[in-house]
Every structure is written in structure tokens, then in C-alpha cells.
């Protein structure tokens, strides 16, 4: 397994996003299927496992903790605070006392004495970023977490946070169809020596060519139903981009998912994608991207084919967009 660096850790070049084993994409898999998927990833050399207090309102941390506890020394365990479920609703709360309490709760669910990489899941704009990161720094001092991460923040916020305590990783969405990190965050990460962790690198199945009709294929509670790019009219236009994309994948002798991940891996050795999946076959396919090598001409062609100008619809609806701090085109 190829390795990349996050702060003090060497991790597999592809991590595993664990969210959809418990949260957000309709009915989760059975506990037995979820456990098998986690162990299969481990057996294949994946060492970075990414969860959060929010996912399944604690259920995902409980799952990950139970399954991976016997293998704790082999993995880098990442979780998140600052956004949790309270009385069935998602709540953003970055107050220092909440962050510290949430960490203690997560440690219990994860069945570990220390979380390797602990992210502020969302910046609570009612709380100065310096105060939230200060609480995370206190957790480092207390030995409860080893490194600090941020999620969905701008370059300016990253720099403010990094001035309080070194930030090991910044996590946000990055793929061919979501290029926002290219505005400023990637450059800021490189200036500061911060690893970039890319979630939804397969554009929530779009780049895996795994979703053709959101109206009929998505369950009622699937979060993609609230995302403008998946609205029927927008998605039909986006699907037209896949004809040439499929042709390129076939020409390369790889799957569409492998092409998307290979493009992202080629964008920098400091980028660690964390695709999520419930399918053992998809997991194996994703890991196969590590063997795909793209020439510069191919990368340029992909850049021109699928980007912020050719994709129809913003990535989030207006209400969700107000909650995040990322730069927008």
C-alpha cells in the first residue's frame, strides 16, 4: 500500500470514509456487512479510517470502535467534533466545553484512549475559531488526541487556526466536479505543511457512474436529494458529461471510479482521498486506482471536461452553504 503523510502519521494513500456505513445515504447496511467492509479495508492495507460524532448520532463511532479495537495499533483513527446529533437534529456547536465533552463521549464509543486525528467538523461561526482550536489544543495537551484537523474551512480560517496550534489536516470535498479547494485552500495547506484530506472524491457516486436517476434510485432520506446537482434537470445535464468520461476510462483500461481517484492522487502527494462505500467490490475497485498512472495530457483533458464551469448546480443548497466557510466560485 502506498503511503502519504498527515502530521506525524504515515497513512495509506487512500483512506476509508466510514459515514455511509451508518448515516446519510438511506438505509445503512447490516452490522455484519459493515463489519466485513471495515475488516476488508484493513486487510487490503487501508490504515486511515474516518468517522465523526455526527454519523448515525454516535452509531458510526460505536461501529468503528467495536470492529477496529483489536487492530488499534495498526490504524490512524480520525473522528470529528463540533457537529453532533441532539434530539434527532444536527447541531453545530464549537464552544470549548462542548468540544471537550464530545471528545470524552467519542473516546468511549471508539473504545480507545486517544484519537489520532480529531477534526473540528464545522466551524461554529458564533465562536471564534481561536477558541475552538484552543480547546482542541487542550485535548492534545491532555493526551486525548494526537493531532488537530479542520473541515470545510477557508484559507483565512485555516491560517488563523494554525496560529493557535499546528493543524495537521484540512478536510473538504474535492473531486473533478468540486474544485473549490483550488481557489485558495490547497495553496494555504501547502504553505503551512497541512495535509489535504478529500471527502466525496467520487462526487457521491456520480464519477463512479453509479447513479443514473436520482428520482428513482435514491431513498427518501438520502442527503443527495437536498443537493442541487442531483435535482432532476441539473442531473440530466451533468450526466451528459459522462459520455466522454466513460470513453476516457475505457481507453485507460480502468473503471470510472479509478479514473476519478487517479486524477485526485495525481494532483499532489499531500492529498489523501477518503472514498466511502458499502460494497466490497467497490472497495476493491477504488483501491485499484493506486495502480493507475495518468499522463499530463490526460489530466488536462479531464480538467477541461468536468469542472466548476461545466457542472450544473451548486454543491450545497443555500441553507447548508451558510453553515460552511469554504471559498466559492
Amino acid at each position: 500500500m502506498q503511503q502519504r503523510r498527515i502530521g506525524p502519521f504515515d497513512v495509506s494513500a487512500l483512506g476509508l470514509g466510514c459515514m455511509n456505513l451508518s448515516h446519510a445515504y438511506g438505509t445503512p447496511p447490516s452490522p455484519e456487512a459493515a463489519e466485513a467492509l471495515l475488516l476488508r479495508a484493513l486487510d487490503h492495507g487501508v490504515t486511515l479510517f474516518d468517522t465523526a460524532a455526527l454519523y448515525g448520532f454516535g452509531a458510526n463511532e460505536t461501529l468503528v470502535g467495536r470492529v477496529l479495537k483489536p487492530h488499534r495499533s495498526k490504524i490512524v483513527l480520525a473522528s470529528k467534533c463540533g457537529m453532533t446529533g441532539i434530539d434527532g437534529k444536527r447541531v453545530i456547536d464549537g464552544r470549548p466545553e462542548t468540544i471537550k465533552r464530545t471528545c470524552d463521549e467519542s473516546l468511549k464509543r471508539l473504545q480507545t484512549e486517544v484519537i489520532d486525528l480529531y477534526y473540528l467538523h464545522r466551524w461554529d461561526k458564533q465562536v471564534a475559531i481561536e477558541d475552538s482550536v484552543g480547546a482542541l489544543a487542550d485535548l492534545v495537551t491532555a493526551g486525548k488526541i494526537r493531532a488537530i484537523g479542520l473541515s470545510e474551512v477557508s484559507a483565512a480560517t485555516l491560517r488563523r487556526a494554525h496560529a493557535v496550534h499546528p493543524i495537521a489536516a484540512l478536510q473538504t470535498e474535492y473531486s473533478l466536479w468540486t474544485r473549490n479547494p483550488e481557489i485558495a485552500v490547497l495553496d494555504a495547506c501547502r504553505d503551512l505543511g497541512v495535509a489535504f484530506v478529500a471527502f466525496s472524491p467520487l462526487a457521491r457516486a456520480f464519477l463512479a457512474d453509479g447513479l443514473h436517476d436520482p428520482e428513482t434510485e435514491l431513498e427518501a432520506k438520502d442527503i443527495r436529494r437536498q443537493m442541487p446537482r442531483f435535482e432532476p434537470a441539473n442531473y440530466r445535464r451533468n450526466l451528459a458529461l459522462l459520455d466522454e468520461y466513460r470513453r476516457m476510462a475505457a481507453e485507460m483500461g480502468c473503471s470510472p471510479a479509478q479514473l476519478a481517484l487517479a486524477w485526485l492522487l495525481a494532483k499532489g502527494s499531500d492529498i489523501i482521498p477518503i472514498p466511502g462505500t458499502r460494497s466490497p467490490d467497490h472497495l476493491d475497485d477504488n483501491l485499484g486506482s493506486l495502480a493507475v498512472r495518468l499522463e499530463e495530457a490526460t489530466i488536462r483533458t479531464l480538467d477541461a471536461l468536468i469542472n466548476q464551469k461545466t457542472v450544473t448546480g451548486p454543491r450545497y443548497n443555500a441553507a447548508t452553504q451558510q453553515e460552511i466557510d469554504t471559498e466559492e466560485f
Side-chain angles (χ1 to χ4, degrees):
M1 173 63 73
Q2 299 171 28
Q3 302 290 298
R4 296 194 168 188
R5 192 78 175 170
I6 297 179
F9 310 111
D10 289 317
V11 300
S12 52
L14 283 182
L16 182 69
C18 300
M19 180 178 77
N20 64 1
L21 297 177
S22 308
H23 185 84
Y25 291 98
T27 305
S30 68
E32 295 78 13
E35 177 175 350
L37 193 284
L38 289 169
L39 293 177
R40 188 180 187 89
L42 185 70
D43 288 344
H44 284 10
V46 174
T47 59
L48 176 63
F49 291 83
D50 184 278
T51 182
L54 176 72
Y55 303 160
F57 293 1
N60 196 246
E61 286 184 324
T62 300
L63 167 71
V64 170
R66 175 179 61 80
V67 174
L68 296 181
K69 180 181 180 180
H71 313 281
R72 183 66 181 87
S73 63
K74 303 176 185 177
I75 69 170
V76 173
L77 181 60
S79 194
K80 308 179 193 73
C81 63
M83 185 161 63
T84 56
I86 298 176
D87 297 329
K89 295 183 179 180
R90 182 171 58 87
V91 175
I92 296 174
D93 185 348
R95 292 175 296 172
E97 60 270 26
T98 302
I99 288 172
K100 292 177 180 180
R101 186 188 72 247
T102 302
C103 181
D104 287 339
E105 294 167 351
S106 292
L107 287 167
K108 290 179 182 178
R109 288 191 292 261
L110 291 166
Q111 300 187 48
T112 187
E113 294 181 353
V114 61
I115 298 169
D116 298 314
L117 176 60
Y118 202 45
Y119 292 93
L120 185 66
H121 203 161
R122 289 290 186 274
W123 173 31
D124 179 353
K125 298 177 183 179
Q126 304 303 311
V127 179
I129 190 65
E130 290 84 356
D131 292 343
S132 294
V133 173
L136 293 169
D138 289 343
L139 292 172
V140 173
T141 301
K144 294 182 177 183
I145 68 175
R146 291 194 170 104
I148 297 173
L150 300 176
S151 178
E152 294 274 51
V153 299
S154 65
T157 301
L158 170 61
R159 292 183 188 279
R160 286 172 55 191
H162 195 77
V164 175
H165 187 281
I167 303 300
L170 187 150
Q171 179 177 145
T172 196
E173 184 173 355
Y174 189 28
S175 69
L176 278 163
W177 90 338
T178 296
R179 302 296 195 88
N180 306 67
E182 296 174 0
I183 299 171
V185 157
L186 278 173
D187 286 342
C189 284
R190 287 162 180 163
D191 287 346
L192 299 171
V194 176
F196 186 92
V197 176
F199 75 75
S200 296
L202 297 176
R204 306 179 192 273
F206 174 75
L207 291 170
D209 196 18
L211 179 65
H212 303 104
D213 184 357
E215 286 189 285
T216 61
E217 295 175 35
L218 298 184
E219 294 185 31
K221 293 185 178 181
D222 192 301
I223 59 171
R224 288 170 289 186
R225 286 191 172 274
Q226 305 301 318
M227 295 178 174
R229 290 178 183 176
F230 293 92
E231 293 173 1
N234 290 341
Y235 202 71
R236 282 193 294 272
R237 294 184 65 182
N238 291 328
L239 281 175
L241 299 170
L242 291 183
D243 292 338
E244 176 63 13
Y245 181 75
R246 292 188 199 100
R247 188 199 65 75
M248 292 183 67
E251 186 176 85
M252 290 291 300
C254 66
S255 70
Q258 289 172 345
L259 184 59
L261 292 171
W263 174 87
L264 196 49
L265 290 164
K267 284 293 178 176
S269 60
D270 54 346
I271 296 173
I272 301 97
I274 52 167
T277 184
R278 302 171 179 180
S279 163
D281 290 341
H282 290 170
L283 173 67
D284 294 353
D285 186 61
N286 291 344
L287 293 173
S289 66
L290 295 166
V292 178
R293 298 289 178 268
L294 303 183
E295 297 181 355
E296 285 298 322
T298 302
I299 294 171
R300 288 195 297 270
T301 301
L302 287 168
D303 283 339
L305 176 65
I306 303 177
N307 58 59
Q308 72 277 7
K309 295 181 180 178
T310 63
V311 169
T312 302
R315 69 181 180 117
Y316 287 140
N317 60 37
T320 302
Q321 186 58 48
Q322 289 181 351
E323 296 177 349
I324 63 172
D325 180 50
T326 52
E327 292 90 353
E328 299 298 314
F329 287 103

